[in-house]
mmCIF file of all heavy atoms in Angstrom:
data_model
loop_
_atom_site.group_PDB
_atom_site.id
_atom_site.type_symbol
_atom_site.label_atom_id
_atom_site.label_comp_id
_atom_site.label_asym_id
_atom_site.label_seq_id
_atom_site.Cartn_x
_atom_site.Cartn_y
_atom_site.Cartn_z
ATOM 1 N N ILE C 94 9.139 -6.912 -16.409
ATOM 2 C CA ILE C 94 9.840 -6.128 -15.355
ATOM 3 C C ILE C 94 10.717 -4.997 -16.042
ATOM 4 O O ILE C 94 10.797 -3.950 -15.536
ATOM 5 C CB ILE C 94 10.731 -7.153 -14.521
ATOM 6 C CG1 ILE C 94 9.836 -8.046 -13.662
ATOM 7 C CG2 ILE C 94 11.703 -6.300 -13.689
ATOM 8 C CD1 ILE C 94 10.617 -8.960 -12.846
ATOM 9 N N ALA C 95 11.313 -5.379 -17.245
ATOM 10 C CA ALA C 95 12.064 -4.259 -17.945
ATOM 11 C C ALA C 95 11.170 -3.191 -18.354
ATOM 12 O O ALA C 95 11.578 -1.993 -18.280
ATOM 13 C CB ALA C 95 12.758 -5.008 -19.086
ATOM 14 N N ARG C 96 9.987 -3.455 -18.831
ATOM 15 C CA ARG C 96 9.013 -2.457 -19.228
ATOM 16 C C ARG C 96 8.652 -1.557 -17.984
ATOM 17 O O ARG C 96 8.575 -0.352 -18.023
ATOM 18 C CB ARG C 96 7.824 -2.986 -19.891
ATOM 19 C CG ARG C 96 8.045 -3.627 -21.250
ATOM 20 C CD ARG C 96 6.817 -4.228 -21.796
ATOM 21 N NE ARG C 96 5.717 -3.315 -21.921
ATOM 22 C CZ ARG C 96 4.409 -3.636 -22.218
ATOM 23 N NH1 ARG C 96 4.120 -4.810 -22.310
ATOM 24 N NH2 ARG C 96 3.555 -2.635 -22.282
ATOM 25 N N ILE C 97 8.414 -2.243 -16.849
ATOM 26 C CA ILE C 97 8.084 -1.502 -15.634
ATOM 27 C C ILE C 97 9.195 -0.578 -15.172
ATOM 28 O O ILE C 97 9.032 0.585 -14.819
ATOM 29 C CB ILE C 97 7.686 -2.483 -14.490
ATOM 30 C CG1 ILE C 97 6.364 -3.217 -14.755
ATOM 31 C CG2 ILE C 97 7.664 -1.823 -13.125
ATOM 32 C CD1 ILE C 97 6.038 -4.288 -13.890
ATOM 33 N N ASP C 98 10.468 -1.115 -15.180
ATOM 34 C CA ASP C 98 11.609 -0.321 -14.789
ATOM 35 C C ASP C 98 11.708 0.944 -15.770
ATOM 36 O O ASP C 98 12.071 1.979 -15.327
ATOM 37 C CB ASP C 98 12.873 -1.135 -14.905
ATOM 38 C CG ASP C 98 12.987 -2.208 -13.810
ATOM 39 O OD1 ASP C 98 12.197 -2.079 -12.794
ATOM 40 O OD2 ASP C 98 13.799 -3.138 -13.946
ATOM 41 N N ALA C 99 11.468 0.684 -17.049
ATOM 42 C CA ALA C 99 11.576 1.856 -17.994
ATOM 43 C C ALA C 99 10.552 2.909 -17.654
ATOM 44 O O ALA C 99 10.790 4.063 -17.775
ATOM 45 C CB ALA C 99 11.458 1.380 -19.371
ATOM 46 N N TRP C 100 9.325 2.375 -17.418
ATOM 47 C CA TRP C 100 8.236 3.361 -17.034
ATOM 48 C C TRP C 100 8.565 4.097 -15.735
ATOM 49 O O TRP C 100 8.338 5.317 -15.641
ATOM 50 C CB TRP C 100 6.968 2.584 -16.885
ATOM 51 C CG TRP C 100 5.737 3.452 -16.513
ATOM 52 C CD1 TRP C 100 4.926 4.070 -17.443
ATOM 53 C CD2 TRP C 100 5.236 3.730 -15.240
ATOM 54 N NE1 TRP C 100 3.907 4.755 -16.784
ATOM 55 C CE2 TRP C 100 4.056 4.611 -15.439
ATOM 56 C CE3 TRP C 100 5.576 3.394 -13.891
ATOM 57 C CZ2 TRP C 100 3.334 5.100 -14.369
ATOM 58 C CZ3 TRP C 100 4.891 3.865 -12.884
ATOM 59 C CH2 TRP C 100 3.695 4.743 -13.149
ATOM 60 N N ASP C 101 9.191 3.411 -14.736
ATOM 61 C CA ASP C 101 9.529 4.059 -13.481
ATOM 62 C C ASP C 101 10.541 5.198 -13.763
ATOM 63 O O ASP C 101 10.507 6.264 -13.261
ATOM 64 C CB ASP C 101 10.069 3.062 -12.544
ATOM 65 C CG ASP C 101 9.016 2.291 -11.752
ATOM 66 O OD1 ASP C 101 7.834 2.672 -11.775
ATOM 67 O OD2 ASP C 101 9.364 1.240 -11.154
ATOM 68 N N ASP C 102 11.531 4.829 -14.540
ATOM 69 C CA ASP C 102 12.575 5.843 -14.884
ATOM 70 C C ASP C 102 11.989 7.084 -15.600
ATOM 71 O O ASP C 102 12.401 8.137 -15.271
ATOM 72 C CB ASP C 102 13.659 5.173 -15.764
ATOM 73 C CG ASP C 102 14.498 4.114 -15.047
ATOM 74 O OD1 ASP C 102 14.473 4.145 -13.848
ATOM 75 O OD2 ASP C 102 15.098 3.339 -15.740
ATOM 76 N N ALA C 103 11.037 6.825 -16.524
ATOM 77 C CA ALA C 103 10.406 7.981 -17.245
ATOM 78 C C ALA C 103 9.643 8.796 -16.245
ATOM 79 O O ALA C 103 9.624 10.056 -16.375
ATOM 80 C CB ALA C 103 9.536 7.417 -18.367
ATOM 81 N N GLN C 104 8.923 8.195 -15.263
ATOM 82 C CA GLN C 104 8.169 8.937 -14.275
ATOM 83 C C GLN C 104 9.091 9.802 -13.445
ATOM 84 O O GLN C 104 8.761 10.982 -13.149
ATOM 85 C CB GLN C 104 7.310 8.030 -13.463
ATOM 86 C CG GLN C 104 6.223 7.244 -14.173
ATOM 87 C CD GLN C 104 5.243 8.106 -14.869
ATOM 88 O OE1 GLN C 104 4.598 9.095 -14.198
ATOM 89 N NE2 GLN C 104 4.998 7.858 -16.168
ATOM 90 N N THR C 105 10.126 9.208 -13.009
ATOM 91 C CA THR C 105 11.090 9.897 -12.163
ATOM 92 C C THR C 105 11.710 11.160 -12.893
ATOM 93 O O THR C 105 11.892 12.242 -12.388
ATOM 94 C CB THR C 105 12.148 9.097 -11.674
ATOM 95 O OG1 THR C 105 11.602 7.951 -10.927
ATOM 96 C CG2 THR C 105 13.145 9.777 -10.716
ATOM 97 N N ALA C 106 12.065 10.912 -14.146
ATOM 98 C CA ALA C 106 12.643 11.936 -14.995
ATOM 99 C C ALA C 106 11.652 13.156 -15.140
ATOM 100 O O ALA C 106 12.160 14.293 -15.197
ATOM 101 C CB ALA C 106 13.120 11.462 -16.370
ATOM 102 N N GLU C 107 10.432 12.810 -15.237
ATOM 103 C CA GLU C 107 9.428 13.851 -15.472
ATOM 104 C C GLU C 107 8.942 14.510 -14.208
ATOM 105 O O GLU C 107 8.742 15.745 -14.109
ATOM 106 C CB GLU C 107 8.221 13.264 -16.162
ATOM 107 C CG GLU C 107 7.103 14.281 -16.462
ATOM 108 C CD GLU C 107 5.912 13.652 -17.261
ATOM 109 O OE1 GLU C 107 6.076 12.549 -17.820
ATOM 110 O OE2 GLU C 107 4.821 14.282 -17.229
ATOM 111 N N GLY C 108 8.756 13.693 -13.062
ATOM 112 C CA GLY C 108 8.179 14.279 -11.916
ATOM 113 C C GLY C 108 9.006 14.299 -10.729
ATOM 114 O O GLY C 108 8.571 14.810 -9.646
ATOM 115 N N GLY C 109 10.240 13.862 -10.765
ATOM 116 C CA GLY C 109 11.163 13.950 -9.657
ATOM 117 C C GLY C 109 10.798 12.972 -8.551
ATOM 118 O O GLY C 109 10.198 11.924 -8.786
ATOM 119 N N ARG C 110 11.125 13.287 -7.367
ATOM 120 C CA ARG C 110 10.973 12.451 -6.181
ATOM 121 C C ARG C 110 9.538 12.052 -5.852
ATOM 122 O O ARG C 110 9.247 11.007 -5.326
ATOM 123 C CB ARG C 110 11.607 13.015 -4.923
ATOM 124 C CG ARG C 110 13.060 13.198 -5.018
ATOM 125 C CD ARG C 110 13.607 13.827 -3.780
ATOM 126 N NE ARG C 110 13.277 13.053 -2.592
ATOM 127 C CZ ARG C 110 13.538 13.463 -1.344
ATOM 128 N NH1 ARG C 110 14.065 14.621 -1.021
ATOM 129 N NH2 ARG C 110 13.245 12.733 -0.289
ATOM 130 N N ASP C 111 8.605 12.903 -6.199
ATOM 131 C CA ASP C 111 7.149 12.664 -5.893
ATOM 132 C C ASP C 111 6.489 11.994 -7.042
ATOM 133 O O ASP C 111 5.282 11.745 -6.944
ATOM 134 C CB ASP C 111 6.378 14.002 -5.626
ATOM 135 C CG ASP C 111 6.841 14.604 -4.306
ATOM 136 O OD1 ASP C 111 7.168 13.833 -3.346
ATOM 137 O OD2 ASP C 111 6.860 15.846 -4.169
ATOM 138 N N ALA C 112 7.228 11.460 -8.108
ATOM 139 C CA ALA C 112 6.546 10.762 -9.144
ATOM 140 C C ALA C 112 6.121 9.386 -8.679
ATOM 141 O O ALA C 112 6.765 8.794 -7.865
ATOM 142 C CB ALA C 112 7.591 10.660 -10.290
ATOM 143 N N PRO C 113 5.001 8.942 -9.259
ATOM 144 C CA PRO C 113 4.524 7.557 -8.877
ATOM 145 C C PRO C 113 5.475 6.507 -9.376
ATOM 146 O O PRO C 113 6.122 6.691 -10.380
ATOM 147 C CB PRO C 113 3.158 7.532 -9.558
ATOM 148 C CG PRO C 113 3.236 8.412 -10.693
ATOM 149 C CD PRO C 113 4.113 9.553 -10.214
ATOM 150 N N SER C 114 5.591 5.406 -8.636
ATOM 151 C CA SER C 114 6.306 4.239 -9.120
ATOM 152 C C SER C 114 5.386 3.025 -9.070
ATOM 153 O O SER C 114 4.350 3.029 -8.372
ATOM 154 C CB SER C 114 7.474 4.001 -8.198
ATOM 155 O OG SER C 114 7.103 3.626 -6.885
ATOM 156 N N TYR C 115 5.782 1.957 -9.904
ATOM 157 C CA TYR C 115 4.919 0.814 -9.858
ATOM 158 C C TYR C 115 4.887 0.174 -8.494
ATOM 159 O O TYR C 115 3.789 -0.209 -7.996
ATOM 160 C CB TYR C 115 5.569 -0.200 -10.831
ATOM 161 C CG TYR C 115 4.894 -1.556 -10.858
ATOM 162 C CD1 TYR C 115 3.766 -1.782 -11.520
ATOM 163 C CD2 TYR C 115 5.421 -2.611 -10.077
ATOM 164 C CE1 TYR C 115 3.097 -3.096 -11.446
ATOM 165 C CE2 TYR C 115 4.864 -3.888 -10.038
ATOM 166 C CZ TYR C 115 3.628 -4.058 -10.736
ATOM 167 O OH TYR C 115 3.050 -5.299 -10.644
ATOM 168 N N GLN C 116 6.017 -0.012 -7.888
ATOM 169 C CA GLN C 116 6.029 -0.772 -6.510
ATOM 170 C C GLN C 116 5.204 0.042 -5.466
ATOM 171 O O GLN C 116 4.415 -0.502 -4.729
ATOM 172 C CB GLN C 116 7.403 -0.946 -5.987
ATOM 173 C CG GLN C 116 8.279 -1.643 -6.969
ATOM 174 C CD GLN C 116 8.088 -3.144 -7.063
ATOM 175 O OE1 GLN C 116 7.016 -3.594 -7.100
ATOM 176 N NE2 GLN C 116 9.244 -3.897 -7.121
ATOM 177 N N GLY C 117 5.400 1.372 -5.424
ATOM 178 C CA GLY C 117 4.818 2.148 -4.315
ATOM 179 C C GLY C 117 3.375 2.587 -4.571
ATOM 180 O O GLY C 117 2.530 2.651 -3.752
ATOM 181 N N ALA C 118 3.045 2.853 -5.907
ATOM 182 C CA ALA C 118 1.775 3.530 -6.171
ATOM 183 C C ALA C 118 0.731 2.597 -6.873
ATOM 184 O O ALA C 118 -0.406 2.938 -6.936
ATOM 185 C CB ALA C 118 1.990 4.770 -7.017
ATOM 186 N N LEU C 119 1.251 1.538 -7.479
ATOM 187 C CA LEU C 119 0.314 0.745 -8.346
ATOM 188 C C LEU C 119 0.168 -0.720 -7.974
ATOM 189 O O LEU C 119 -0.873 -1.282 -8.238
ATOM 190 C CB LEU C 119 0.869 0.778 -9.728
ATOM 191 C CG LEU C 119 0.900 2.244 -10.410
ATOM 192 C CD1 LEU C 119 1.486 2.144 -11.854
ATOM 193 C CD2 LEU C 119 -0.548 2.827 -10.486
ATOM 194 N N SER C 120 1.224 -1.365 -7.432
ATOM 195 C CA SER C 120 1.212 -2.838 -7.274
ATOM 196 C C SER C 120 0.558 -3.319 -5.983
ATOM 197 O O SER C 120 -0.500 -3.986 -5.964
ATOM 198 C CB SER C 120 2.517 -3.464 -7.397
ATOM 199 O OG SER C 120 3.310 -3.083 -6.337
ATOM 200 N N ILE C 121 1.055 -2.897 -4.839
ATOM 201 C CA ILE C 121 0.617 -3.460 -3.577
ATOM 202 C C ILE C 121 0.448 -2.362 -2.505
ATOM 203 O O ILE C 121 1.343 -1.488 -2.203
ATOM 204 C CB ILE C 121 1.703 -4.373 -2.968
ATOM 205 C CG1 ILE C 121 1.976 -5.483 -4.003
ATOM 206 C CG2 ILE C 121 1.306 -5.000 -1.656
ATOM 207 C CD1 ILE C 121 3.130 -6.392 -3.591
ATOM 208 N N PRO C 122 -0.813 -2.163 -2.019
ATOM 209 C CA PRO C 122 -1.047 -1.076 -1.011
ATOM 210 C C PRO C 122 -0.263 -1.336 0.297
ATOM 211 O O PRO C 122 -0.056 -2.491 0.671
ATOM 212 C CB PRO C 122 -2.511 -1.153 -0.786
ATOM 213 C CG PRO C 122 -3.003 -2.502 -1.147
ATOM 214 C CD PRO C 122 -1.935 -2.948 -2.195
ATOM 215 N N PRO C 123 0.003 -0.282 1.117
ATOM 216 C CA PRO C 123 0.666 -0.488 2.340
ATOM 217 C C PRO C 123 -0.351 -0.855 3.440
ATOM 218 O O PRO C 123 -1.598 -0.874 3.205
ATOM 219 C CB PRO C 123 1.181 0.897 2.571
ATOM 220 C CG PRO C 123 0.284 1.851 1.930
ATOM 221 C CD PRO C 123 -0.131 1.081 0.677
ATOM 222 N N GLY C 124 0.073 -1.155 4.583
ATOM 223 C CA GLY C 124 -0.821 -1.375 5.768
ATOM 224 C C GLY C 124 -1.396 -2.823 5.833
ATOM 225 O O GLY C 124 -0.824 -3.770 5.282
ATOM 226 N N TRP C 125 -2.570 -2.922 6.478
ATOM 227 C CA TRP C 125 -3.215 -4.251 6.747
ATOM 228 C C TRP C 125 -3.979 -4.575 5.560
ATOM 229 O O TRP C 125 -4.808 -3.761 5.056
ATOM 230 C CB TRP C 125 -3.993 -4.124 8.035
ATOM 231 C CG TRP C 125 -3.243 -3.963 9.211
ATOM 232 C CD1 TRP C 125 -2.376 -2.891 9.570
ATOM 233 C CD2 TRP C 125 -3.079 -4.923 10.306
ATOM 234 N NE1 TRP C 125 -1.854 -3.014 10.770
ATOM 235 C CE2 TRP C 125 -2.239 -4.230 11.247
ATOM 236 C CE3 TRP C 125 -3.596 -6.129 10.599
ATOM 237 C CZ2 TRP C 125 -1.893 -4.902 12.506
ATOM 238 C CZ3 TRP C 125 -3.301 -6.822 11.748
ATOM 239 C CH2 TRP C 125 -2.440 -6.134 12.738
ATOM 240 N N ARG C 126 -3.945 -5.837 5.032
ATOM 241 C CA ARG C 126 -4.731 -6.230 3.974
ATOM 242 C C ARG C 126 -4.911 -7.807 3.997
ATOM 243 O O ARG C 126 -3.986 -8.483 4.599
ATOM 244 C CB ARG C 126 -4.069 -5.848 2.675
ATOM 245 C CG ARG C 126 -2.707 -6.287 2.475
ATOM 246 C CD ARG C 126 -1.981 -5.538 1.298
ATOM 247 N NE ARG C 126 -0.585 -5.931 1.189
ATOM 248 C CZ ARG C 126 0.432 -5.433 1.781
ATOM 249 N NH1 ARG C 126 0.300 -4.509 2.644
ATOM 250 N NH2 ARG C 126 1.669 -5.870 1.593
ATOM 251 N N VAL C 127 -5.953 -8.278 3.430
ATOM 252 C CA VAL C 127 -6.191 -9.729 3.360
ATOM 253 C C VAL C 127 -6.020 -10.170 1.879
ATOM 254 O O VAL C 127 -6.539 -9.558 0.928
ATOM 255 C CB VAL C 127 -7.629 -10.041 3.789
ATOM 256 C CG1 VAL C 127 -7.853 -11.537 3.653
ATOM 257 C CG2 VAL C 127 -7.836 -9.588 5.274
ATOM 258 N N GLY C 128 -5.207 -11.249 1.653
ATOM 259 C CA GLY C 128 -5.032 -11.760 0.370
ATOM 260 C C GLY C 128 -4.058 -10.908 -0.463
ATOM 261 O O GLY C 128 -3.174 -10.181 0.064
ATOM 262 N N GLY C 129 -4.136 -10.971 -1.752
ATOM 263 C CA GLY C 129 -3.287 -10.175 -2.653
ATOM 264 C C GLY C 129 -1.882 -10.822 -2.733
ATOM 265 O O GLY C 129 -1.659 -11.991 -2.649
ATOM 266 N N PHE C 130 -0.874 -9.931 -2.886
ATOM 267 C CA PHE C 130 0.517 -10.291 -3.084
ATOM 268 C C PHE C 130 1.381 -9.710 -1.935
ATOM 269 O O PHE C 130 1.095 -8.658 -1.386
ATOM 270 C CB PHE C 130 1.010 -9.805 -4.337
ATOM 271 C CG PHE C 130 0.228 -10.303 -5.537
ATOM 272 C CD1 PHE C 130 -0.787 -9.490 -6.110
ATOM 273 C CD2 PHE C 130 0.451 -11.524 -6.139
ATOM 274 C CE1 PHE C 130 -1.520 -9.888 -7.223
ATOM 275 C CE2 PHE C 130 -0.238 -12.078 -7.203
ATOM 276 C CZ PHE C 130 -1.251 -11.248 -7.797
ATOM 277 N N PRO C 131 2.424 -10.447 -1.538
ATOM 278 C CA PRO C 131 3.340 -9.920 -0.562
ATOM 279 C C PRO C 131 4.207 -8.855 -1.147
ATOM 280 O O PRO C 131 4.633 -8.844 -2.274
ATOM 281 C CB PRO C 131 4.131 -11.198 -0.113
ATOM 282 C CG PRO C 131 4.088 -12.021 -1.303
ATOM 283 C CD PRO C 131 2.829 -11.822 -1.963
ATOM 284 N N SER C 132 4.607 -7.951 -0.177
ATOM 285 C CA SER C 132 5.646 -6.950 -0.533
ATOM 286 C C SER C 132 6.982 -7.422 -0.039
ATOM 287 O O SER C 132 7.074 -7.907 1.069
ATOM 288 C CB SER C 132 5.306 -5.607 0.133
ATOM 289 O OG SER C 132 6.407 -4.739 0.072
#
């Protein structure tokens, strides 16, 4: 989790508000889905 937080901070510093984040862009898709992990 510490490594993920550091990566998120680096992405924000480089790309600003539109930068990808682990939670929003990589871990769990939005909307309707079967299985996987809860948000």
Side-chain angles (χ1 to χ4, degrees):
I94 291 180
R96 290 177 59 190
I97 291 172
D98 289 343
W100 182 86
D101 281 344
D102 291 342
Q104 295 299 308
T105 301
E107 180 178 343
R110 294 179 59 186
D111 288 328
S114 66
Y115 172 82
Q116 307 283 43
L119 299 175
S120 67
I121 302 172
W125 294 64
R126 55 194 181 273
V127 178
F130 301 97
S132 168

